[in-house]
Amino acid sequence: MKTCIFINSCDKTHDVAKIYLKGHSKYIQNNSYKTFIGINKLKHDEKYDFLNYISCKASDWKNETISQLSILKNEYKYTNVILVLDDFIFNKKIDCTNLNFFLDQFKKKSLKYLSLKNHNESFLISLINKFYLKNKINKLRNNYPYYSSLQIAIWDIDYLINNIKMSRSIWDFETLKNSDNHYHVKYNYFSYQHIVEKGEWNYYSPIYVRRYIGDFNPGKRKVKKDLFGFLIFNIRFVFFFLFGFSLSRIRKFFF
């Protein structure tokens, strides 16, 4: 079983990946797994000894990602990838040597997908799960809305490619349920925050990046600032904290 870390990126998000790489370099201790990043043509000015580039023709997320994964599979012979989106910015140090346990379990259980994040639920369900879930790895409930969530996860590379082929978009992909063999960890392995939403820096991104990475330069990418959107953002957060996915109608109303 051959595994690598794959940062899902392209030239359109070069500015975001620039921040990601600073965070990766600062917080991720890794001597075990090669790290690759997807691009079209634009390499990063700063040199990172750990970084390897996977280049493909510019198109859309679906076709670019399939092309990049196909290179990892066919040219580098990887059977699994630890998939990371380029707008997941780390905030705590972690030694990737500890991933060996989860990769061993991935192979032993013949898994297709293992999320390295404890999937979000309401506060009450999360509290119950802390006592109810006995194992470090647990099966994802079948009716979880984002059954193929793109939070950082270990994927069987063939299964991942096939799922992307069947999806219409990155958002549609996360709701696919093509196997009942999806698992998640009890406790988050990595600590990070998602800083881009619908092509714009999120409301908290400037403060977050300055705190954990350093200087923040928005460049040409807009920062969400509208007051109404900020209120809705926080209302959604409160509703989810209280009710999780149980009040889907309310959730859809605020999206």
Side-chain angles (χ1 to χ4, degrees):
M1 189 175 77
K2 194 176 177 183
T3 304
C4 69
I5 296 173
F6 172 55
I7 305 159
N8 194 199
S9 186
C10 66
D11 289 4
K12 288 182 181 178
T13 57
H14 179 85
D15 57 330
V16 183
K18 183 178 179 180
I19 298 174
Y20 170 87
L21 291 172
K22 288 181 179 179
H24 188 113
S25 178
K26 183 177 181 179
Y27 294 108
I28 305 302
Q29 301 174 32
N30 172 36
N31 294 315
S32 302
Y33 309 101
K34 271 195 172 183
T35 300
F36 295 84
I37 188 170
I39 62 169
N40 303 121
K41 295 180 179 180
L42 193 58
K43 292 186 177 182
H44 291 272
D45 294 333
E46 190 167 347
K47 304 298 181 182
Y48 294 98
D49 293 337
F50 63 84
L51 196 61
N52 301 276
Y53 290 97
I54 297 290
S55 180
C56 71
K57 182 180 178 181
S59 54
D60 53 31
W61 173 81
K62 177 177 179 177
N63 289 300
E64 287 180 0
T65 306
I66 290 172
S67 295
Q68 292 163 358
L69 289 170
S70 296
I71 292 172
L72 290 174
K73 174 190 173 183
N74 297 321
E75 294 187 18
Y76 291 92
K77 308 303 179 183
Y78 285 105
T79 55
N80 306 293
V81 294
I82 300 167
L83 182 65
V84 187
L85 299 188
D86 62 8
D87 60 348
F88 289 167
I89 310 303
F90 300 109
N91 55 51
K92 289 183 181 179
K93 288 189 176 181
I94 188 72
D95 185 349
C96 287
T97 304
N98 298 327
L99 278 171
N100 291 340
F101 168 79
F102 295 109
L103 285 163
D104 287 344
Q105 292 298 305
F106 193 86
K107 180 179 180 180
K108 182 179 179 181
K109 297 176 181 292
S110 300
L111 303 186
K112 300 294 185 183
Y113 169 92
L114 172 60
S115 174
L116 296 172
K117 185 178 187 300
N118 181 12
H119 282 188
N120 293 332
E121 299 282 5
S122 67
F123 169 74
L124 181 59
I125 293 178
S126 296
L127 184 62
I128 292 171
N129 282 343
K130 284 186 178 180
F131 298 97
Y132 176 73
L133 300 178
K134 303 298 183 182
N135 302 317
K136 291 183 179 180
I137 295 175
N138 298 277
K139 195 168 186 179
L140 186 63
R141 62 182 174 90
N142 287 332
N143 60 347
Y144 190 80
Y146 297 103
Y147 194 76
S148 297
S149 169
L150 282 168
Q151 297 293 338
I152 300 178
I154 304 169
W155 288 85
D156 173 275
I157 197 167
D158 288 323
Y159 179 68
L160 176 56
I161 291 172
N162 288 336
N163 273 18
I164 296 174
K165 286 180 179 179
M166 288 186 282
S167 68
R168 296 187 298 272
S169 67
I170 191 171
W171 299 281
D172 172 63
F173 173 86
E174 292 196 290
T175 64
L176 292 178
K177 186 177 181 297
N178 296 314
S179 168
D180 61 355
N181 198 12
H182 284 206
Y183 286 73
H184 68 96
V185 296
K186 182 176 181 179
Y187 299 108
N188 295 338
Y189 184 82
F190 295 103
S191 180
Y192 58 92
Q193 187 64 261
H194 173 77
I195 64 167
V196 173
E197 183 177 2
K198 296 181 179 178
E200 297 180 350
W201 301 114
N202 222 325
Y203 299 100
Y204 53 78
S205 297
I207 295 174
Y208 180 86
V209 173
R210 289 188 185 107
R211 178 177 179 183
Y212 292 105
I213 307 300
D215 292 337
F216 175 77
N217 180 5
K220 296 181 180 180
R221 193 178 297 273
K222 292 182 179 180
V223 180
K224 292 181 179 292
K225 292 182 178 179
D226 60 294
L227 179 59
F228 179 74
F230 181 71
L231 291 172
I232 295 299
F233 175 84
N234 285 282
I235 290 171
R236 284 165 52 191
F237 177 82
V238 172
F239 269 116
F240 188 86
F241 178 80
L242 295 173
F243 305 110
F245 295 109
S246 60
L247 295 181
S248 57
R249 290 182 181 179
I250 292 177
R251 180 175 176 277
K252 289 179 181 178
F253 175 79
F254 285 110
F255 265 97

